[in-house]
Structures are given as structure tokens and as C-alpha cells.
Amino acid sequence: MDNIKKKKTKKITVAVLVIVVVIGGIIAVALNRDLIESRLLYMVMPDHIDATVNEDIPLTLYKRLNTDFDPKEDEAIYFMEFYYYDKDGNEVSIPGNGKLIYEGVDNGSPYAYFFIKSIDNINHIKSIAKIVGAVIAVLLAVGLILLWFFLWSKRQDAEKEKKYGGKKTPKSKK
């Protein structure tokens, strides 16, 4: 009886721990939602893109993490920054929500350039996820069919055992 109480106590303890971890995770995500979304977007963004600025000038834009970012004080958009190299080879840094101004002409936000390119990556990830989901569904179906077959086979063996008293097949009479 004491062993049963220990098992129940262990199960209850595990259940409570799981609930606490899940609630803690939900709270953490709720508090840092913008930062988490920014990190996910950063992961799917390409490292650099080739853009056209001032209508005809090719320019390579790069992204990187902002080393001065403080999640307690800064908005999530400042989590990353963009940069490019000008004609002289000098690095020009642009904050996360800054404008790309090249030779005095406003070319919009580099964030938008990267966001548009990241949509291609997201679509690629979605297509891979669909394929993986289909494979998992097929494997799950096959696994359930095999499980059913083994359980059915075990039941049949038990019925034969009960019916014929330990003999595999009945003796044929000639």
C-alpha cells in the first residue's frame, strides 16, 4: 500500500513540475514577445542582400546583432542593425529602424529589404515543414497499423492457447 502512495506522489510531483514549467514558459514568452519575434525573424533573414539604391546603384547590405542592445531599455527593433560599405570602403552602420540614405537619397528602410527577402526563406521553411508533416503522418499511420496488428496477433495467440490448451493447432483426425 505504501508503494502505491509513493507512485501516486511521484506522479503528482511530476505533473505539478510540468505545469509550473509550462506556465513559466508562457509568462516568459508573453513578457518578451517582441524580442522573441525579432530573434526568429533575424534567424530567417539572409546574412546579406544585394539591393539597388538610387534607382541604379548596386549595393550589398549586411545584418548583424546590435552589441549595444539592452532588452530592458530598448525596443525590439534595435535588436539588430544593418551596414554597408561606401565607395571608400568605410562601413556605414544603420540602426534597426533607420533609413538607408545613400549619397543623400533616402532609399527606405533596410529592414524592409531584409524582411522581403526573408519571406522567401519562410516560404521555403513552410514547404519543408509540409513535407516533414506528411512523412510524420504516414509513419504514425504505419506505426498504428503495426501496433494494431501485433495486439490482434497476441489476442489470437491467447485465444488459440485457451481453446486448444497449449497446442498450436488442433490435431487432424484421419
Side-chain angles (χ1 to χ4, degrees), residues 58-134:
L59 181 69
T60 302
L61 295 169
Y62 302 91
K63 71 167 183 168
R64 67 175 165 219
L65 297 175
N66 183 357
T67 55
D68 298 329
F69 176 74
D70 182 7
K72 295 177 183 170
E73 295 179 14
D74 298 329
E75 293 180 40
I77 192 128
Y78 295 107
F79 165 71
M80 65 183 101
E81 63 184 2
F82 306 98
Y83 64 98
Y84 65 93
Y85 295 100
D86 63 9
K87 290 179 182 178
D88 301 326
N90 298 322
E91 183 181 294
V92 178
S93 201
I94 307 165
N97 70 340
K99 298 268 186 186
L100 172 58
I101 299 175
Y102 191 80
E103 295 180 350
V105 179
D106 183 353
N107 289 284
S109 170
Y111 197 85
Y113 286 100
F114 277 89
F115 187 76
I116 290 168
K117 289 290 185 179
S118 67
I119 289 173
D120 293 339
N121 291 347
I122 291 170
N123 288 335
H124 184 68
I125 290 169
K126 282 172 50 177
S127 64
I128 290 172
K130 285 180 184 178
I131 293 169
V132 169

Coordinates of all heavy atoms in Angstrom, one line a residue, residues 58-134:
P58 N 24.1 49.3 -57.5 CA 24.0 48.1 -56.7 C 24.8 48.3 -55.4 O 25.8 48.9 -55.4 CB 24.8 47.1 -57.6 CG 25.6 47.9 -58.5 CD 25.0 49.2 -58.7
L59 N 24.2 47.7 -54.4 CA 24.8 47.9 -53.0 C 24.5 46.6 -52.2 O 23.4 46.1 -52.3 CB 24.1 49.1 -52.3 CG 24.7 49.4 -50.9 CD1 26.1 49.9 -51.0 CD2 23.8 50.5 -50.3
T60 N 25.5 46.1 -51.5 CA 25.3 44.9 -50.7 C 25.1 45.4 -49.3 O 25.9 46.1 -48.7 CB 26.5 44.0 -50.7 OG1 26.7 43.6 -52.1 CG2 26.3 42.8 -49.9
L61 N 23.9 45.0 -48.7 CA 23.6 45.3 -47.3 C 23.8 44.1 -46.4 O 23.5 42.9 -46.9 CB 22.1 45.7 -47.2 CG 21.7 47.0 -47.9 CD1 20.2 47.1 -47.9 CD2 22.3 48.2 -47.2
Y62 N 24.3 44.3 -45.2 CA 24.6 43.2 -44.3 C 23.8 43.4 -43.0 O 23.4 44.6 -42.7 CB 26.1 43.2 -43.9 CG 27.0 43.0 -45.1 CD1 27.5 44.1 -45.8 CD2 27.3 41.7 -45.6 CE1 28.3 43.9 -46.9 CE2 28.1 41.6 -46.7 CZ 28.6 42.7 -47.4 OH 29.4 42.5 -48.5
K63 N 23.6 42.4 -42.3 CA 22.9 42.5 -41.0 C 23.8 41.9 -39.9 O 24.7 41.1 -40.2 CB 21.6 41.7 -41.0 CG 21.8 40.2 -41.0 CD 20.6 39.4 -40.6 CE 21.0 37.9 -40.6 NZ 20.1 37.1 -40.1
R64 N 23.6 42.4 -38.7 CA 24.3 41.8 -37.5 C 23.6 42.2 -36.3 O 22.7 43.0 -36.3 CB 25.8 42.4 -37.4 CG 25.8 43.9 -37.1 CD 27.3 44.3 -37.0 NE 27.3 45.8 -37.1 CZ 28.2 46.5 -37.6 NH1 29.2 45.9 -38.2 NH2 28.2 47.8 -37.7
L65 N 23.9 41.5 -35.2 CA 23.3 41.8 -33.9 C 23.9 43.1 -33.4 O 25.1 43.4 -33.5 CB 23.6 40.7 -32.9 CG 23.0 39.3 -33.3 CD1 23.4 38.3 -32.3 CD2 21.5 39.4 -33.3
N66 N 23.0 43.9 -32.7 CA 23.4 45.1 -32.1 C 24.1 44.8 -30.8 O 23.4 44.4 -29.9 CB 22.2 46.1 -32.0 CG 22.6 47.4 -31.4 OD1 23.7 47.7 -31.1 ND2 21.6 48.3 -31.4
T67 N 25.3 45.1 -30.6 CA 26.0 44.8 -29.4 C 25.6 45.7 -28.2 O 25.8 45.4 -27.1 CB 27.6 44.9 -29.6 OG1 27.9 46.1 -30.1 CG2 28.0 43.8 -30.5
D68 N 25.1 46.9 -28.6 CA 24.6 47.8 -27.5 C 23.2 47.7 -27.1 O 22.7 48.4 -26.3 CB 24.8 49.3 -28.1 CG 26.3 49.6 -28.4 OD1 27.2 49.0 -27.7 OD2 26.6 50.4 -29.3
F69 N 22.5 46.7 -27.7 CA 21.1 46.4 -27.4 C 20.9 46.0 -25.9 O 21.6 45.1 -25.4 CB 20.5 45.4 -28.3 CG 19.1 45.0 -28.0 CD1 18.1 45.9 -28.4 CD2 18.8 43.8 -27.4 CE1 16.8 45.6 -28.1 CE2 17.5 43.5 -27.2 CZ 16.5 44.4 -27.5
D70 N 20.0 46.7 -25.3 CA 19.6 46.3 -23.9 C 18.1 46.0 -23.9 O 17.3 46.9 -24.1 CB 19.9 47.5 -22.9 CG 19.6 47.1 -21.5 OD1 19.2 46.0 -21.2 OD2 19.6 48.0 -20.6
P71 N 17.7 44.8 -23.7 CA 16.3 44.4 -23.8 C 15.4 45.1 -22.8 O 14.2 45.2 -23.0 CB 16.2 42.9 -23.6 CG 17.6 42.5 -23.1 CD 18.5 43.6 -23.4
K72 N 16.0 45.5 -21.7 CA 15.2 46.2 -20.7 C 14.9 47.7 -21.0 O 13.9 48.2 -20.6 CB 15.9 46.1 -19.3 CG 16.0 44.7 -18.8 CD 16.7 44.6 -17.5 CE 16.9 43.2 -17.1 NZ 17.8 43.0 -16.0
E73 N 15.7 48.3 -21.8 CA 15.6 49.7 -22.2 C 15.2 50.0 -23.6 O 14.5 50.9 -23.9 CB 16.9 50.4 -21.8 CG 17.2 50.4 -20.4 CD 18.5 51.2 -20.1 OE1 19.0 51.9 -21.0 OE2 19.0 51.0 -19.0
D74 N 15.7 49.1 -24.5 CA 15.5 49.4 -26.0 C 14.3 48.6 -26.5 O 13.9 47.6 -26.0 CB 16.7 49.0 -26.7 CG 18.0 49.8 -26.3 OD1 17.8 51.0 -25.9 OD2 19.1 49.2 -26.4
E75 N 13.7 49.1 -27.6 CA 12.7 48.4 -28.3 C 13.3 47.3 -29.1 O 14.5 47.3 -29.4 CB 12.0 49.4 -29.3 CG 11.2 50.5 -28.6 CD 10.5 51.4 -29.6 OE1 10.0 50.9 -30.6 OE2 10.5 52.6 -29.4
A76 N 12.5 46.3 -29.4 CA 13.0 45.1 -30.0 C 13.6 45.3 -31.4 O 14.4 44.6 -31.9 CB 11.9 44.0 -30.1
I77 N 13.1 46.4 -32.0 CA 13.6 46.7 -33.4 C 15.1 47.0 -33.4 O 15.8 46.9 -34.4 CB 12.8 47.8 -34.1 CG1 13.1 47.9 -35.5 CG2 13.0 49.1 -33.4 CD1 11.9 47.9 -36.4
Y78 N 15.6 47.5 -32.3 CA 17.0 47.8 -32.1 C 17.9 46.6 -31.9 O 19.1 46.7 -31.7 CB 17.3 48.9 -31.1 CG 16.6 50.2 -31.4 CD1 15.5 50.6 -30.7 CD2 17.2 51.0 -32.4 CE1 14.9 51.8 -31.0 CE2 16.6 52.2 -32.7 CZ 15.4 52.6 -32.0 OH 14.9 53.8 -32.3
F79 N 17.3 45.4 -31.9 CA 18.0 44.2 -31.6 C 19.1 43.9 -32.7 O 20.1 43.3 -32.4 CB 17.0 43.0 -31.6 CG 17.5 41.6 -31.7 CD1 18.2 41.1 -30.6 CD2 17.3 40.9 -32.8 CE1 18.7 39.8 -30.7 CE2 17.8 39.6 -32.9 CZ 18.5 39.1 -31.8
M80 N 18.8 44.4 -33.9 CA 19.8 44.2 -35.0 C 20.1 45.5 -35.6 O 19.4 46.5 -35.4 CB 19.2 43.2 -36.0 CG 18.0 43.6 -36.7 SD 17.4 42.4 -37.8 CE 16.1 41.7 -36.9
E81 N 21.1 45.5 -36.3 CA 21.5 46.7 -37.1 C 22.0 46.2 -38.5 O 22.3 45.1 -38.7 CB 22.5 47.5 -36.4 CG 23.9 46.9 -36.2 CD 24.8 47.7 -35.4 OE1 24.4 48.8 -34.9 OE2 25.9 47.3 -35.2
F82 N 22.0 47.2 -39.4 CA 22.4 46.9 -40.8 C 23.6 47.8 -41.1 O 23.8 48.8 -40.5 CB 21.2 47.2 -41.7 CG 20.0 46.5 -41.3 CD1 19.0 47.1 -40.6 CD2 19.8 45.1 -41.6 CE1 17.8 46.4 -40.2 CE2 18.7 44.5 -41.2 CZ 17.7 45.1 -40.5
Y83 N 24.4 47.3 -42.1 CA 25.5 48.1 -42.5 C 25.8 47.8 -44.0 O 25.4 46.8 -44.5 CB 26.7 47.9 -41.6 CG 27.3 46.5 -41.6 CD1 28.4 46.2 -42.4 CD2 26.7 45.5 -40.8 CE1 28.9 44.9 -42.4 CE2 27.2 44.2 -40.9 CZ 28.3 43.9 -41.6 OH 28.8 42.7 -41.7
Y84 N 26.6 48.7 -44.5 CA 27.1 48.6 -45.9 C 28.4 49.3 -46.0 O 28.8 50.0 -45.1 CB 26.1 49.1 -46.9 CG 25.9 50.6 -46.9 CD1 26.7 51.4 -47.7 CD2 24.9 51.2 -46.1 CE1 26.5 52.8 -47.6 CE2 24.7 52.5 -46.0 CZ 25.5 53.3 -46.8 OH 25.3 54.7 -46.8
Y85 N 29.1 49.0 -47.1 CA 30.4 49.7 -47.3 C 30.3 50.7 -48.4 O 29.7 50.4 -49.5 CB 31.5 48.7 -47.6 CG 31.8 47.7 -46.5 CD1 31.2 46.5 -46.5 CD2 32.6 48.1 -45.4 CE1 31.5 45.6 -45.4 CE2 32.8 47.3 -44.4 CZ 32.2 46.0 -44.4 OH 32.5 45.1 -43.3
D86 N 30.7 52.0 -48.1 CA 30.5 53.0 -49.1 C 31.6 52.9 -50.2 O 32.4 52.0 -50.1 CB 30.5 54.4 -48.4 CG 31.8 54.7 -47.7 OD1 32.8 54.0 -47.8 OD2 31.8 55.8 -47.0
K87 N 31.7 53.9 -51.1 CA 32.7 53.8 -52.2 C 34.1 53.8 -51.7 O 35.0 53.2 -52.3 CB 32.5 55.1 -53.1 CG 31.2 55.1 -53.8 CD 31.2 56.3 -54.7 CE 29.9 56.4 -55.4 NZ 29.7 57.6 -56.2
D88 N 34.4 54.4 -50.5 CA 35.7 54.4 -50.0 C 36.1 53.2 -49.2 O 37.2 53.1 -48.6 CB 35.9 55.7 -49.1 CG 35.7 56.9 -49.9 OD1 36.0 56.9 -51.1 OD2 35.2 57.9 -49.3
G89 N 35.1 52.2 -49.0 CA 35.4 51.0 -48.2 C 35.1 51.2 -46.7 O 35.4 50.3 -45.9
N90 N 34.5 52.4 -46.3 CA 34.2 52.6 -44.9 C 32.8 52.0 -44.6 O 31.9 52.0 -45.4 CB 34.1 54.1 -44.7 CG 35.5 54.8 -44.9 OD1 36.5 54.2 -44.6 ND2 35.4 56.0 -45.4
E91 N 32.8 51.4 -43.4 CA 31.5 50.8 -43.0 C 30.5 51.9 -42.6 O 30.9 52.7 -41.7 CB 31.8 49.8 -41.9 CG 30.5 49.1 -41.4 CD 30.8 48.1 -40.2 OE1 31.5 47.2 -40.4 OE2 30.3 48.4 -39.1
V92 N 29.3 51.8 -43.1 CA 28.2 52.7 -42.7 C 27.2 51.9 -42.0 O 26.6 51.0 -42.5 CB 27.6 53.5 -43.9 CG1 26.5 54.4 -43.4 CG2 28.7 54.2 -44.6
S93 N 27.0 52.2 -40.7 CA 26.0 51.5 -39.9 C 24.7 52.1 -39.8 O 24.5 53.4 -39.8 CB 26.6 51.4 -38.4 OG 26.0 50.4 -37.7
I94 N 23.6 51.3 -39.9 CA 22.2 51.8 -39.8 C 21.5 51.1 -38.7 O 21.5 49.8 -38.7 CB 21.5 51.5 -41.2 CG1 22.3 52.0 -42.3 CG2 20.1 52.1 -41.2 CD1 21.9 51.5 -43.7
P95 N 20.9 51.8 -37.7 CA 20.2 51.1 -36.7 C 19.0 50.4 -37.2 O 18.5 50.6 -38.4 CB 19.7 52.2 -35.7 CG 19.8 53.5 -36.5 CD 20.8 53.3 -37.6
G96 N 18.4 49.5 -36.4 CA 17.3 48.6 -36.8 C 16.1 49.3 -37.5 O 15.5 48.8 -38.5
N97 N 15.8 50.5 -37.0 CA 14.7 51.2 -37.6 C 15.1 52.4 -38.5 O 14.3 53.3 -38.8 CB 13.7 51.7 -36.6 CG 14.2 52.8 -35.7 OD1 15.4 53.0 -35.7 ND2 13.3 53.5 -35.0
G98 N 16.4 52.5 -38.8 CA 17.0 53.6 -39.5 C 16.6 53.6 -41.0 O 16.1 52.6 -41.5
K99 N 17.0 54.6 -41.7 CA 16.7 54.8 -43.1 C 18.1 54.5 -43.8 O 19.1 54.9 -43.3 CB 16.2 56.1 -43.4 CG 14.9 56.5 -42.8 CD 13.8 56.1 -43.8 CE 12.5 56.5 -43.2 NZ 11.4 56.1 -44.0
L100 N 18.0 54.0 -45.0 CA 19.1 53.8 -45.8 C 19.3 55.0 -46.7 O 18.5 55.2 -47.6 CB 19.0 52.5 -46.7 CG 20.0 52.3 -47.8 CD1 21.4 52.2 -47.2 CD2 19.7 51.1 -48.6
I101 N 20.2 55.9 -46.3 CA 20.4 57.1 -47.1 C 21.8 57.0 -47.7 O 22.8 56.9 -47.1 CB 20.4 58.4 -46.2 CG1 19.0 58.5 -45.5 CG2 20.8 59.6 -47.0 CD1 18.8 59.5 -44.5
Y102 N 21.8 56.9 -49.1 CA 23.0 56.7 -49.8 C 23.2 57.9 -50.8 O 22.3 58.2 -51.6 CB 22.8 55.4 -50.6 CG 24.1 54.9 -51.3 CD1 25.1 54.3 -50.5 CD2 24.4 55.2 -52.6 CE1 26.3 53.9 -51.1 CE2 25.6 54.7 -53.2 CZ 26.5 54.1 -52.4 OH 27.7 53.7 -53.0
E103 N 24.3 58.5 -50.6 CA 24.6 59.7 -51.4 C 23.5 60.8 -51.3 O 23.1 61.4 -52.3 CB 24.9 59.4 -52.9 CG 26.2 58.5 -53.0 CD 26.5 58.1 -54.5 OE1 25.6 58.4 -55.3 OE2 27.5 57.6 -54.7
G104 N 23.0 60.9 -50.1 CA 22.0 61.9 -49.9 C 20.5 61.6 -50.3 O 19.6 62.4 -50.1
V105 N 20.3 60.4 -50.8 CA 19.0 60.0 -51.3 C 18.4 58.9 -50.3 O 19.1 57.9 -50.0 CB 19.1 59.4 -52.7 CG1 17.7 58.9 -53.2 CG2 19.6 60.4 -53.7
D106 N 17.2 59.1 -49.9 CA 16.5 58.2 -49.0 C 16.0 57.0 -49.8 O 15.3 57.1 -50.7 CB 15.4 58.9 -48.3 CG 14.7 58.0 -47.3 OD1 15.0 56.9 -47.2 OD2 13.8 58.6 -46.6
N107 N 16.5 55.8 -49.4 CA 16.1 54.6 -50.1 C 15.3 53.7 -49.2 O 15.2 52.5 -49.5 CB 17.4 53.8 -50.5 CG 18.1 54.6 -51.6 OD1 17.7 54.5 -52.8 ND2 19.2 55.3 -51.3
G108 N 14.6 54.2 -48.2 CA 13.8 53.4 -47.4 C 14.5 52.7 -46.3 O 15.7 53.0 -46.0
S109 N 13.8 51.7 -45.7 CA 14.4 51.0 -44.6 C 15.1 49.7 -45.0 O 14.5 48.9 -45.8 CB 13.3 50.6 -43.6 OG 13.7 49.8 -42.6
P110 N 16.3 49.5 -44.5 CA 17.0 48.2 -44.9 C 16.2 47.0 -44.2 O 16.2 45.9 -44.7 CB 18.4 48.3 -44.3 CG 18.3 49.5 -43.4 CD 17.2 50.3 -43.8
Y111 N 15.5 47.3 -43.2 CA 14.7 46.3 -42.5 C 13.7 45.7 -43.5 O 13.5 44.5 -43.6 CB 14.0 46.9 -41.3 CG 13.4 45.9 -40.3 CD1 14.3 45.4 -39.3 CD2 12.1 45.5 -40.3 CE1 13.8 44.5 -38.4 CE2 11.6 44.6 -39.4 CZ 12.4 44.1 -38.4 OH 12.0 43.2 -37.5
A112 N 13.1 46.6 -44.3 CA 12.1 46.2 -45.3 C 12.8 45.3 -46.4 O 12.2 44.3 -46.8 CB 11.5 47.4 -45.9
Y113 N 14.0 45.7 -46.8 CA 14.7 44.9 -47.8 C 14.9 43.5 -47.3 O 14.7 42.5 -48.0 CB 16.1 45.5 -48.1 CG 16.1 46.8 -49.0 CD1 16.2 48.0 -48.4 CD2 16.0 46.7 -50.3 CE1 16.2 49.2 -49.1 CE2 16.0 47.9 -51.1 CZ 16.1 49.1 -50.5 OH 16.2 50.2 -51.3
F114 N 15.4 43.4 -46.1 CA 15.7 42.1 -45.5 C 14.4 41.3 -45.2 O 14.3 40.1 -45.4 CB 16.5 42.2 -44.2 CG 18.0 42.4 -44.4 CD1 18.5 43.6 -44.6 CD2 18.8 41.3 -44.5 CE1 19.9 43.8 -44.9 CE2 20.1 41.4 -44.7 CZ 20.7 42.6 -44.9
F115 N 13.3 42.0 -44.8 CA 12.1 41.4 -44.5 C 11.5 40.7 -45.7 O 11.0 39.6 -45.7 CB 11.1 42.4 -43.9 CG 9.8 41.7 -43.4 CD1 9.8 41.0 -42.2 CD2 8.6 41.9 -44.2 CE1 8.6 40.4 -41.8 CE2 7.5 41.3 -43.7 CZ 7.5 40.5 -42.5
I116 N 11.6 41.5 -46.9 CA 11.1 40.9 -48.1 C 11.8 39.7 -48.5 O 11.3 38.7 -49.0 CB 11.1 42.0 -49.2 CG1 10.0 43.1 -48.9 CG2 10.9 41.4 -50.6 CD1 10.2 44.3 -49.8
K117 N 13.2 39.7 -48.4 CA 14.0 38.5 -48.7 C 13.7 37.4 -47.8 O 13.8 36.2 -48.2 CB 15.5 38.9 -48.7 CG 15.9 39.8 -49.8 CD 15.8 39.0 -51.1 CE 16.4 39.9 -52.2 NZ 16.4 39.2 -53.5
S118 N 13.4 37.7 -46.5 CA 13.2 36.6 -45.5 C 11.9 35.9 -45.8 O 11.7 34.7 -45.4 CB 13.2 37.2 -44.1 OG 12.2 38.0 -43.9
I119 N 10.9 36.5 -46.5 CA 9.7 35.9 -46.8 C 10.0 34.7 -47.7 O 9.3 33.6 -47.6 CB 8.7 36.9 -47.5 CG1 8.2 37.9 -46.5 CG2 7.5 36.2 -48.2 CD1 7.4 39.0 -47.0
D120 N 11.0 34.8 -48.6 CA 11.3 33.6 -49.5 C 11.8 32.5 -48.6 O 11.5 31.3 -48.8 CB 12.4 34.0 -50.4 CG 12.0 35.0 -51.5 OD1 10.8 35.1 -51.7 OD2 12.8 35.7 -52.1
N121 N 12.6 32.8 -47.6 CA 13.1 31.8 -46.7 C 12.0 31.1 -45.9 O 12.0 29.9 -45.6 CB 14.2 32.4 -45.7 CG 15.5 32.7 -46.4 OD1 15.7 32.4 -47.5 ND2 16.3 33.5 -45.7
I122 N 11.0 32.0 -45.4 CA 9.9 31.5 -44.7 C 9.1 30.5 -45.5 O 8.6 29.5 -45.1 CB 9.1 32.6 -44.1 CG1 9.8 33.4 -43.0 CG2 7.7 32.1 -43.6 CD1 9.2 34.6 -42.6
N123 N 8.8 30.9 -46.8 CA 8.1 30.0 -47.7 C 8.8 28.7 -47.9 O 8.2 27.7 -48.0 CB 7.8 30.7 -49.0 CG 6.8 31.8 -48.9 OD1 6.0 31.8 -48.0 ND2 6.9 32.8 -49.8
H124 N 10.1 28.7 -48.0 CA 10.9 27.5 -48.2 C 10.8 26.6 -46.9 O 10.6 25.4 -47.0 CB 12.4 27.9 -48.4 CG 13.3 26.7 -48.7 ND1 13.2 25.9 -49.8 CD2 14.2 26.1 -47.9 CE1 14.1 25.0 -49.7 NE2 14.7 25.1 -48.6
I125 N 10.8 27.3 -45.7 CA 10.7 26.5 -44.5 C 9.3 25.9 -44.4 O 9.1 24.8 -44.0 CB 11.0 27.4 -43.3 CG1 12.4 27.8 -43.2 CG2 10.5 26.8 -42.0 CD1 12.8 28.9 -42.2
K126 N 8.3 26.6 -44.9 CA 6.9 26.1 -44.8 C 6.8 24.9 -45.7 O 6.1 23.9 -45.4 CB 5.9 27.2 -45.3 CG 5.6 28.2 -44.2 CD 4.8 29.4 -44.6 CE 3.6 29.1 -45.4 NZ 2.8 30.3 -45.7
S127 N 7.4 25.0 -46.9 CA 7.3 23.8 -47.8 C 8.0 22.6 -47.3 O 7.5 21.5 -47.4 CB 7.8 24.2 -49.2 OG 9.2 24.4 -49.2
I128 N 9.1 22.8 -46.6 CA 9.8 21.7 -46.0 C 9.0 21.1 -44.8 O 8.9 19.9 -44.6 CB 11.2 22.1 -45.5 CG1 12.1 22.4 -46.7 CG2 11.8 21.1 -44.6 CD1 13.4 23.0 -46.3
A129 N 8.3 22.0 -44.0 CA 7.5 21.6 -42.9 C 6.3 20.8 -43.4 O 5.9 19.8 -42.7 CB 7.0 22.8 -42.1
K130 N 5.7 21.1 -44.5 CA 4.6 20.4 -45.1 C 5.1 18.9 -45.4 O 4.4 18.0 -45.1 CB 4.0 21.0 -46.3 CG 3.2 22.3 -46.0 CD 2.7 22.9 -47.3 CE 1.9 24.1 -47.0 NZ 1.5 24.8 -48.3
I131 N 6.2 18.8 -46.1 CA 6.8 17.5 -46.4 C 7.1 16.7 -45.2 O 6.7 15.5 -45.1 CB 8.0 17.7 -47.3 CG1 7.6 18.3 -48.7 CG2 8.7 16.3 -47.5 CD1 8.8 18.7 -49.5
V132 N 7.7 17.3 -44.2 CA 8.0 16.6 -43.0 C 6.7 16.2 -42.2 O 6.6 15.1 -41.7 CB 8.9 17.5 -42.0 CG1 9.0 16.9 -40.6 CG2 10.3 17.7 -42.7
G133 N 5.7 17.1 -42.2 CA 4.5 16.7 -41.6 C 3.8 15.5 -42.3 O 3.3 14.7 -41.6
A134 N 3.9 15.5 -43.6 CA 3.3 14.4 -44.3 C 4.0 13.1 -44.0 O 3.4 12.0 -43.8 CB 3.3 14.7 -45.8

